[in-house]
Amino acid sequence: MNAILLLIALATLGTAIVAMSGRNLLHSVLLLAVSWSGVAAFYLWAGAQFVAFAQVLVYLGAISMVVLFAVLLTRRAREDFGAPHNLTTRSRFAVAAGAAVAAVLLWAVSRSPLAGSKGPAPTVTVRDLGRQLLGQHAAALLVIGVLLTLALIGAVVLAAVDSPDFPEDAP
Amino acid sequence: MSPLHLCLAFSSLLFAVGLTGALSRGSSILVLLGLELMLNAANLNFIAFWRFGPAGSPATGVVFVLFSIAVAAAEAAVGLALIISLYRNQRNIRLPEATRLKG
């Protein structure tokens, strides 16, 4: 049981680290898709099948594709992929900050007496989930719907052009 | 170590990787992807506590993660629109060069 979890964690963390430290933006996005599928594998391991399905649908299906589109739309030349310039000091500080956060979190986790239950996973069928979403959590579901609509309208407004400065971008 | 400890350590490390990426990279797309990694780490914690934590309502963790994924999708859409807008204004997406608002 724990060996599978360690394998999933190694694959997810390894691809995430390589993606975050790589030079090629396209490779980073594809590796992060692998990392997100590792997270989906963790959800399957933990017994949350519907969440794994949502993760694959949203992250692998939607977000990675949209990010790929953004990468391909905003690249101009090879040097846009190239080495970052004059970022070594910032990278060093960022690695130090990340290591400090990881150390504090790991220390806190290892010190806390978590009385984990050894029982089987709580079973949640899709039917239960639908009843919960439309019963107890109906208000939150509506708010999420409004939020998604507003965010997408905002995205369209941000990305659309109406200035005459860029006539080549006009529809 | 119990499985809950392992899950929490996994999500802590994933959060740290995302944080390091978001702080260190100059490309705005990679910063956004680092943010997504941190959100994923938080979702991992929800599922870990739903699975191994003290028994509560059986669907609460799952519902919370579903809402969180929806918010992450909205965030990604807005972030990528901002990146497209940045590219329109300065013809690349490097954050160190986005200094137009600097006094």
Side-chain angles (χ1 to χ4, degrees):
Chain A
M1 185 99 172
N2 281 353
I4 299 173
L5 173 62
L6 283 178
L7 268 181
I8 292 172
L10 273 182
T12 308
L13 288 171
T15 48
I17 289 170
V18 175
M20 279 293 145
S21 58
R23 291 278 162 90
N24 191 327
L25 206 49
L26 213 51
H27 291 178
S28 293
V29 176
L30 294 175
L31 275 171
L32 271 176
V34 178
S35 185
W36 286 331
S37 54
V39 175
F42 170 83
Y43 293 152
L44 275 184
W45 173 84
Q49 287 93 353
F50 192 78
V51 178
F53 169 69
Q55 170 90 7
V56 169
L57 203 69
V58 173
Y59 276 95
L60 289 176
I63 292 183
S64 65
M65 284 304 122
V66 175
V67 172
L68 269 181
F69 263 108
V71 169
L72 295 178
L73 279 175
T74 57
R75 80 167 174 180
R76 283 172 60 216
R78 288 298 297 178
E79 61 261 32
D80 273 353
F81 285 81
H85 46 86
N86 279 337
L87 284 180
T88 49
T89 320
R90 210 175 88 187
S91 308
R92 226 172 283 137
F93 276 115
V95 170
V101 167
V104 167
L105 284 176
L106 286 178
W107 176 77
V109 165
S110 65
R111 289 294 299 273
S112 39
L114 295 165
S117 70
K118 300 286 182 196
T123 50
V124 178
T125 60
V126 179
R127 183 187 172 87
D128 295 340
L129 215 53
R131 284 191 182 283
Q132 291 256 339
L133 280 178
L134 291 181
Q136 195 181 347
H137 303 287
L141 191 69
L142 284 177
V143 171
I144 287 286
V146 173
L147 173 75
L148 266 176
T149 313
L150 287 181
L152 290 179
I153 291 173
V156 169
V157 170
L158 276 175
V161 265
D162 50 4
S163 77
D165 297 343
F166 298 103
E168 76 270 18
D169 288 333
Chain B
M1 277 179 103
S2 69
L4 183 53
H5 279 103
L6 283 177
C7 293
L8 293 183
F10 173 29
S11 76
S12 307
L13 288 174
L14 196 62
F15 183 88
V17 170
L19 179 69
T20 309
L23 287 179
S24 67
R25 299 310 301 260
S27 159
S28 47
I29 289 185
L30 277 173
V31 173
L32 185 71
L33 291 174
L35 288 179
E36 293 289 335
L37 269 184
M38 287 193 266
L39 264 169
N40 260 308
N43 291 347
L44 277 183
N45 267 3
F46 281 127
I47 289 297
F49 278 110
W50 167 79
R51 171 70 179 81
F52 297 110
S57 164
T60 308
V62 173
V63 169
F64 216 123
V65 174
L66 288 179
F67 287 151
S68 169
I69 288 178
V71 173
E75 179 229 327
V78 174
L80 290 167
L82 281 174
I83 288 170
I84 300 279
S85 169
L86 181 68
Y87 177 74
R88 280 237 170 77
N89 279 311
Q90 67 175 25
R91 289 286 149 194
N92 61 36
I93 54 168
R94 290 189 183 286
L95 280 183
E97 294 171 21
T99 54
R100 190 175 294 181
L101 288 181
K102 207 172 180 178

